[in-house]
Amino acid sequence: MRHFGHITPEVRQRLFHQEPCEFTADSSARLLSAALGATLYSPATRPRLADDIVKQTGRGVVSMVLCLEDSIGDDDVAEGEENLVRQFADLADRQVDPPLLFIRVRHPEQIPDLVRRLGSAVRLLSGFVLPKFTEERGIPFLEALSGAEVASGHRLFAMPVLESPELLYRETRVETLEGIARAVDKYRDRVLALRLGVTDFCSSYGLRRAPDMTAWDVQIVASVIADVVNMLGRADGTGFTVTGPVWEYFRVQERMFKPQLRRSPFLEGQAEELREALIEHAMDGLLREITLDQANGLLGKTCIHPSHVLPVHALSVVSHEEFSDAQDILRPERGGGGVLRSQYTNKMNEVKPHRAWAERTLLRAEVFGVANEDIGFVELLAAGISG
């Protein structure tokens, strides 16, 4: 699989200075954690789930979560488990290459049980999403995952979801984060990424952000995300990939605030029509949130609607200017440090302080590609939509 692999090679060649790399579910954890992109959630009870997975793969989705937790009712869990076993068997019979597939469970005991019931189709499973993760609640999940991996002989990753009230409340936040850090560090080889449950954060205070606002506009939410990145997303080798929060809107009936998308990137050809479509479907708020996610150290995003996938991927592509700066900073002869003017002559690149940024940028460039000099997110988005 590869990002933008659903568009033709000729179009990719026009768009990219460096095309996104190919990867598989067996690729390194470092590569896969950066490549998750827009992780599309789907209830595990969907009757044509295998068809849905194949369809979304053809539209550019590279990671999905099949949910047995909040997205289905308490009385539907057994049905959801049975459906997952059937749908995985269906996928295995089709001999298709699905995206990275994860199951979101409710209890640790579900992990070995599902792995056993999946049988040989477990080869299509990349891991499990662990809800409401703290040290106390999370360790049993991670122990169950490790046991299931040994029993099946198949590599399985964990993606803990950070969403508990203890993490949100000021008086317990640091202690909770320290516990989470201990747990995920102990199982570092198994933890692919940390996910943020912002909807649960908001629910603790009876809040819900409007489609004109981002998670970063809700200060109590922004503060906890910042602390998560501070303690768990460091670039010194101790950190993990932290993914962006879910964007829960996919259409808006009436706007209170004026659109946030500037007209200037959309002025050529039919791009103005694309801008109007994005605004009509409340996507301008999503684009702004993705940009703020990335500025604050998050990579990838939880998505609950297919229309959110391409905007996440288009804004994850590294610009030619970013790529040029990162390469300059990491040249071997720059190992001693110093300051240099960028090739675009519009900024200074300070070698030592910008080194970690440059390394992360080149990893993102590997999985999402580098745009040609004259290509921006509008062209990438339009090409992804048209296929």
Side-chain angles (χ1 to χ4, degrees):
M1 69 192 86
R2 72 194 304 174
H3 285 290
F4 297 93
H6 65 297
I7 63 179
T8 65
E10 294 77 17
V11 173
R12 284 203 308 271
Q13 187 174 17
R14 175 176 62 82
L15 295 174
F16 290 99
H17 170 76
Q18 173 183 299
E19 290 191 24
C21 71
E22 292 186 344
F23 57 92
T24 72
D26 296 322
S27 295
S28 70
R30 176 177 177 270
L31 188 73
L32 293 181
S33 68
L36 287 167
T39 301
L40 184 64
Y41 273 55
S42 176
T45 51
R46 289 181 67 89
R48 300 181 64 86
L49 188 57
D51 291 337
D52 294 340
I53 291 169
V54 172
K55 179 180 179 181
Q56 296 308 326
T57 302
R59 293 180 173 180
V61 172
V62 302
S63 64
M64 291 186 70
V65 173
L66 314 175
C67 185
L68 289 166
E69 209 225 359
D70 288 345
S71 69
I72 66 174
D74 296 343
D75 296 334
D76 296 327
V77 175
E79 176 192 341
E81 291 177 346
E82 293 172 3
N83 189 54
L84 282 179
V85 173
R86 288 195 300 271
Q87 301 296 333
F88 268 81
D90 185 352
L91 281 174
D93 288 342
R94 299 188 195 199
Q95 300 295 314
V96 298
D97 292 321
L100 304 173
L101 296 177
F102 302 85
I103 298 174
R104 178 167 170 158
V105 290
R106 296 184 173 213
H107 310 293
E109 297 77 18
Q110 289 176 292
I111 293 176
D113 181 57
L114 283 167
V115 168
R116 177 186 59 80
R117 292 163 65 183
L118 287 173
S120 62
V122 75
R123 64 182 174 78
L124 304 178
L125 181 66
S126 291
F128 291 88
V129 175
L130 315 180
K132 299 171 178 59
F133 192 93
T134 63
E135 182 178 29
E136 180 180 2
R137 289 194 292 268
I139 288 293
F141 279 103
L142 292 168
E143 290 175 343
L145 183 138
S146 294
E149 181 180 76
V150 171
S152 66
H154 175 68
R155 184 178 70 169
L156 295 168
F157 286 113
M159 291 201 292
V161 184
L162 310 186
E163 56 187 345
S164 65
E166 301 98 310
L167 183 59
L168 184 62
Y169 298 153
R170 186 181 185 92
E171 66 270 21
T172 54
R173 183 180 303 174
V174 173
E175 180 182 358
T176 302
L177 278 169
E178 289 174 343
I180 291 170
R182 286 190 296 267
V184 295
D185 186 63
K186 182 179 179 180
Y187 291 86
R188 176 171 293 274
D189 291 343
R190 299 277 64 80
V191 176
L192 189 62
L194 305 177
R195 312 199 73 87
L196 292 164
V198 165
T199 302
D200 279 41
F201 289 160
C202 290
S203 73
S204 296
Y205 289 88
L207 304 175
R208 187 175 191 180
R209 69 189 189 275
D212 304 282
M213 295 185 179
T214 72
W216 300 97
D217 295 315
V218 183
Q219 291 301 301
I220 197 164
V221 170
S223 71
V224 70
I225 298 176
D227 285 344
V228 168
V229 174
N230 189 327
M231 294 187 68
L232 299 171
R234 299 178 185 180
D236 60 0
T238 67
F240 296 83
T241 294
V242 183
T243 64
V246 67
W247 179 260
E248 59 188 31
Y249 294 96
F250 44 89
R251 190 170 182 86
V252 63
Q253 300 302 324
E254 181 179 353
R255 300 189 64 94
M256 180 177 295
F257 300 111
K258 68 180 182 180
Q260 301 174 83
L261 279 182
R262 293 182 298 109
R263 287 183 178 274
S264 54
F266 295 87
L267 290 181
E268 295 184 9
Q270 298 182 349
E272 177 63 19
E273 295 179 11
L274 175 58
R275 176 181 181 272
E276 291 176 359
L278 291 171
I279 291 170
E280 179 185 356
H281 291 84
M283 301 289 268
D284 52 332
L286 169 62
L287 297 178
R288 181 167 174 261
E289 183 166 287
I290 297 166
T291 302
L292 290 170
D293 288 348
Q294 294 176 354
N296 286 279
L298 308 182
L299 180 61
K301 199 166 187 64
T302 296
C303 295
I304 48 85
H305 195 272
S307 63
H308 300 167
V309 172
L310 284 173
V312 173
H313 292 170
L315 284 173
S316 297
V317 173
V318 173
S319 71
H320 188 273
E321 181 174 346
E322 290 176 307
F323 184 65
S324 172
D325 289 339
Q327 283 191 312
D328 277 354
I329 290 165
L330 295 177
R331 292 188 191 282
E333 61 267 27
R334 308 294 187 192
V339 178
L340 56 147
R341 186 175 65 174
S342 72
Q343 290 190 21
Y344 277 71
T345 68
N346 59 357
K347 71 177 78 64
M348 73 166 191
N349 289 325
E350 197 166 352
V351 174
K352 289 184 177 178
H354 290 147
R355 184 174 187 84
W357 168 85
E359 290 171 345
R360 285 188 169 184
T361 298
L362 290 190
L363 178 59
R364 182 160 57 93
E366 186 175 357
V367 294
F368 289 102
V370 179
N372 275 319
E373 287 188 70
D374 58 343
I375 297 296
F377 86 92
V378 174
E379 291 85 1
L380 291 163
L381 187 59
I385 291 172
S386 64

